[in-house]
Amino acid sequence: MLFNSYLFIFIFLPVTLIGYFFINSKINHTIGKKWLVISSLFFYSYWNISYLPLILSSILVNFYSSRWILAEQRQNRKKMIFLLGLGFNLFLLGYFKYRDFFLDNINFLFSSDINFARLALPLGISFFTLQQIAYLVDAFQGITEKKKMTDYSLFVVFFPQLIAGPIVHYQNVMGQFKNNENKKINLDNLKLGIYIFVLGLFKKVILADTFSGWATEGFDHTDTLHFFQAWGTSLSYTFQLYFDFSGYSDMAIGIGYMFNISLPKNFNSPLQARNIVDFWSRWHITLTQFITSYVFTPLVRSFKEINFRNSMIAMFIAMSISGLWHGAAWTFILYGAIHGLAIIVNHSMKKRKIKLPKTLAWFLAFNFINIGFTLFRATSLSDAWKVYQGMLGLTFFQLPKGIISNSFIKSSGMTLGQHMTNDDNLFLVMLILGFIIVLKQKNTMELMDKFKGSHKDAIITAFMFIFCIFGLTRVSEFIYFNF
Amino acid sequence: MTEVEVLKIQEEIIRDLFDDDSIEVTLSTNADDVDDWDSLSHIQLISKIETHFKVRFALGELQSLKNVGDMTNLILKKLGS
């Protein structure tokens, strides 16, 4: 079930919310939590019930492995169970997410012809697996205690963050469920939650879905892109991805607040970053934290000495893994790797105390991010190259129709090219609007701090909500559901 | 060891790492207060602290360290004092 659907907004969410607080007050909180687990599993299965056994077995295996680890006194036995548990998680990911990619590469490399039925990616598998790996590591390192089945399940399946994050830690979320104050409906949190949810809905329905049309046209329906088309296509995707994913995160955080749960922030104006290290501290923050804690740190620690060179090697490997985590394709690995290289360049510059003027630093960072996202969106390396060729002016360079007046074109003796998009005027307006929003406007977290729940806030929220509801006529999934 | 003693050593390590003797370290000092405190220097700091105090932080603990004070508390907890 999508957050941006009538069914979710008008039925699932209100029923789950009212049911939860009603059960908490009339029966007890344990049943309330069970209600949330069952609702969340319903939410998950609504897409495709065939993956319900998968998520349930993932929860069961991880729950019992971590219990066993916590109960086991002998260190080598503990380690063995931990490695088996970790292996199970990596196997699930490997089988459901990377098997096809692996077999494709085998076929290519050995010119073989292994036939296999392609698997549909189980929804949210990358997210719920990552979250549970972190839990398993914490159990192995002795910083978590024995949990109840209901609590553990709720930590994994709590529906706001189940499909695409923010990636949460057990203590982070379940500590809040424990607090007695949070078991009762809180009108301030409810208002704040609705406000953030609507902000996210607006980003998704009005902004991301508009840019998505242009990005899809350029990437999927056009064979050759001229210079302006190529830039229009790549910028459209950058804005689409940002508004789509940060919109999704806002909605998740908003729903969290309705249940009195504060989920960690995931975005902090990433497109304002002035270098790539800065970018990763602002973009998909909870993933960066996970990769830093559970991938980069053990890699660095595996070296005898923590010096600059070793840290950079670890950083590069960690970023490549982060790329591969997004999807089973060379484009994703390359995406992670070039970001790894950019981080190395940034750290080296810092070490040599090289500082760029702020505007230039932003310009370089933004273009790098945009070029990276083109690779991220492309279905193959040649698909990415198609867009890059256009952006570099290697195809053909024509002035777009509609932007410059016909009389100017004629007087200069140039020919008139194709349109950039199906509606160049709207495109330019949206592009300028996009830049203003990402560069000059307060982000969701800043707006949240300013939110007072006044009549004015209510009117703004209601206005945006109505606007979005009319835009909800088409169904569009979130990009990060594919990871 | 007391909180003050641990904090004093943390300050020395931080000054040494960032090569700046003017850094004043308090319990509320965090990465935003010190130029150059990024993911890279953070892991170096953690490693120096681990070596000095002969403690080992769990991976899941690193993320919860929001400022120097959190680190001080964790060190004290691990030292058992």
Side-chain angles (χ1 to χ4, degrees):
Chain A
M1 196 181 313
L2 295 165
F3 288 170
N4 51 334
S5 66
Y6 294 124
L7 181 66
F8 179 84
I9 296 173
F10 294 114
I11 298 172
F12 179 83
L13 182 59
V15 169
T16 310
L17 192 66
I18 295 167
Y20 173 66
F21 288 117
F22 180 79
I23 295 170
N24 279 353
S25 72
K26 298 289 175 205
I27 312 173
N28 66 47
H29 187 49
T30 309
I31 307 284
K33 286 188 286 191
K34 288 196 164 94
W35 162 257
L36 272 190
V37 171
I38 291 165
S39 309
S40 298
L41 288 172
F42 173 79
F43 170 84
Y44 184 78
S45 314
Y46 191 80
W47 268 283
N48 188 347
I49 197 156
S50 64
Y51 287 125
L52 183 63
L54 177 77
I55 191 169
L56 290 179
S57 39
S58 168
I59 292 170
L60 282 175
V61 171
N62 280 296
F63 176 72
Y64 284 108
S65 327
S66 55
R67 269 205 167 190
W68 197 2
I69 290 170
L70 288 167
E72 183 59 61
Q73 297 300 321
R74 288 159 294 187
Q75 197 53 32
N76 51 352
R77 284 286 286 274
K78 225 186 199 15
K79 193 168 185 175
M80 201 183 76
I81 307 158
F82 165 68
L83 289 175
L84 280 174
L86 183 66
F88 169 79
N89 284 299
L90 295 178
F91 170 77
L92 275 195
L93 263 189
Y95 187 78
F96 287 100
K97 189 164 177 173
Y98 299 103
R99 191 196 69 148
D100 295 359
F101 174 61
F102 179 73
L103 290 175
D104 278 337
N105 279 292
I106 294 281
N107 276 343
F108 177 78
L109 219 62
F110 301 104
S111 310
S112 55
D113 195 18
I114 307 169
N115 278 319
F116 57 93
R118 296 199 172 261
L119 293 170
L121 182 74
L123 203 61
I125 189 170
S126 315
F127 285 89
F128 68 70
T129 308
L130 217 59
Q131 222 161 274
Q132 294 189 96
I133 287 176
Y135 183 80
L136 210 57
V137 174
D138 291 352
F140 178 59
Q141 299 199 317
I143 56 166
T144 183
E145 292 151 11
K146 199 171 141 187
K147 308 293 179 202
K148 292 200 178 82
M149 188 62 175
T150 308
D151 287 345
Y152 183 80
S153 310
L154 184 55
F155 149 68
V156 181
V157 303
F158 184 43
F159 71 92
Q161 51 81 40
L162 169 62
I163 313 289
I167 299 162
V168 295
H169 271 269
Y170 184 94
Q171 204 41 43
N172 199 273
V173 171
M174 296 316 292
Q176 299 183 60
F177 273 105
K178 251 189 193 167
N179 186 339
N180 278 334
E181 282 301 303
N182 292 342
K183 295 173 188 169
K184 293 175 289 196
I185 196 152
N186 177 323
L187 280 184
D188 289 335
N189 281 345
L190 188 64
K191 284 186 216 165
L192 180 64
I194 292 173
Y195 175 64
I196 305 170
F197 179 83
V198 171
L199 278 179
L201 190 65
F202 186 84
K203 281 188 188 172
K204 167 65 181 166
V205 178
I206 307 299
L207 302 173
D209 286 353
T210 306
F211 281 111
S212 125
W214 297 316
T216 308
E217 185 60 33
F219 274 102
D220 302 337
H221 303 144
T222 317
D223 292 333
T224 316
L225 297 164
H226 69 70
F227 182 78
F228 288 100
Q229 267 180 325
W231 278 93
T233 301
S234 73
L235 287 171
S236 291
Y237 184 67
T238 292
F239 282 121
Q240 182 201 346
L241 180 62
Y242 172 62
F243 289 127
D244 186 283
F245 192 26
S246 75
Y248 173 84
S249 290
D250 290 350
M251 283 188 248
I253 291 169
I255 302 165
Y257 271 110
M258 297 179 200
F259 287 90
N260 299 325
I261 301 299
S262 156
L263 295 172
K265 70 173 174 186
N266 225 6
F267 287 89
N268 183 18
S269 304
L271 298 177
Q272 291 179 16
R274 294 204 185 100
N275 60 61
I276 303 307
V277 176
D278 189 22
F279 172 72
W280 283 102
S281 69
R282 293 159 171 266
W283 172 272
H284 204 177
I285 298 170
T286 55
L287 176 71
T288 305
Q289 287 171 340
F290 177 90
I291 296 285
T292 308
S293 300
Y294 294 95
V295 182
F296 170 70
T297 305
L299 277 171
V300 171
R301 279 178 170 176
S302 69
F303 289 110
K304 271 195 188 122
E305 190 193 346
I306 301 183
N307 54 28
F308 186 78
R309 188 179 142 267
N310 292 343
S311 306
M312 290 300 101
I313 293 172
M315 187 73 83
F316 181 76
I317 298 171
M319 287 307 292
S320 304
I321 291 175
S322 149
L324 181 64
W325 173 82
H326 281 90
W330 286 106
T331 47
F332 287 111
I333 300 173
L334 198 59
Y335 169 79
I338 61 165
H339 270 272
L341 286 178
I343 289 174
I344 295 175
V345 170
N346 284 157
H347 278 303
S348 307
M349 282 169 68
K350 206 170 179 181
K351 207 175 167 213
R352 288 176 181 75
K353 304 211 182 308
I354 302 171
K355 269 198 171 168
L356 299 175
K358 282 181 182 173
T359 314
L360 176 66
W362 169 80
F363 181 78
L364 291 175
F366 181 83
N367 277 289
F368 179 82
I369 293 162
N370 185 46
I371 288 166
F373 282 156
T374 301
L375 190 60
F376 192 82
R377 168 64 171 79
T379 47
S380 63
L381 292 176
S382 58
D383 194 28
W385 178 238
K386 175 186 86 179
V387 183
Y388 291 148
Q389 262 184 324
M391 289 168 83
L392 291 166
L394 296 178
T395 45
F396 51 102
F397 192 93
Q398 281 174 324
L399 289 169
K401 264 184 197 168
I403 303 302
I404 297 161
S405 71
N406 284 344
S407 55
F408 173 79
I409 299 284
K410 278 175 193 151
S411 67
S412 66
M414 286 186 284
T415 53
L416 204 63
Q418 298 155 348
H419 285 290
M420 280 192 288
T421 63
N422 55 6
D423 186 345
D424 283 354
N425 291 331
L426 179 65
F427 172 69
L428 285 180
V429 169
M430 287 298 288
L431 199 60
I432 293 166
L433 191 70
F435 272 113
I436 293 174
I437 294 174
V438 301
L439 299 180
K440 294 290 172 202
Q441 294 299 305
K442 288 194 167 66
N443 64 39
T444 307
M445 300 304 142
E446 291 162 335
L447 288 172
M448 228 170 97
D449 291 339
K450 250 187 63 189
F451 183 78
K452 301 239 168 27
S454 60
H455 291 306
K456 192 181 138 203
D457 287 331
I459 292 168
I460 295 173
T461 312
F463 183 75
M464 283 201 298
F465 183 66
I466 293 167
F467 204 57
C468 293
I469 289 303
F470 286 114
L472 269 188
T473 44
R474 57 188 163 165
V475 175
S476 85
E477 278 195 9
F478 292 90
I479 294 171
Y480 263 67
F481 283 20
N482 300 318
F483 304 144
Chain B
M1 261 188 156
T2 65
E3 189 179 79
V4 179
E5 286 166 339
V6 172
L7 188 63
K8 187 83 199 128
I9 297 168
Q10 282 175 289
E11 184 174 68
E12 278 169 30
I13 294 174
I14 289 171
R15 284 178 174 180
D16 179 51
L17 179 68
F18 295 103
D19 201 14
D20 180 355
D21 286 342
S22 67
I23 302 173
E24 295 286 336
V25 175
T26 66
L27 292 174
S28 59
T29 303
N30 62 46
D32 294 335
D33 301 325
V34 181
D35 276 353
D36 299 336
W37 191 332
D38 56 21
S39 50
L40 184 58
S41 41
H42 190 70
I43 185 76
Q44 288 169 327
L45 175 64
I46 295 289
S47 154
K48 280 180 195 294
I49 284 182
E50 285 181 334
T51 314
H52 184 94
F53 290 99
K54 297 190 177 58
V55 293
R56 184 81 161 165
F57 297 120
L59 300 178
E61 284 171 333
L62 297 177
Q63 219 169 298
S64 58
L65 302 175
K66 301 289 178 229
N67 57 32
V68 170
D70 288 343
M71 212 183 284
T72 317
N73 289 333
L74 198 57
I75 295 167
L76 286 168
K77 197 176 121 194
K78 296 214 175 255
L79 292 174
S81 54

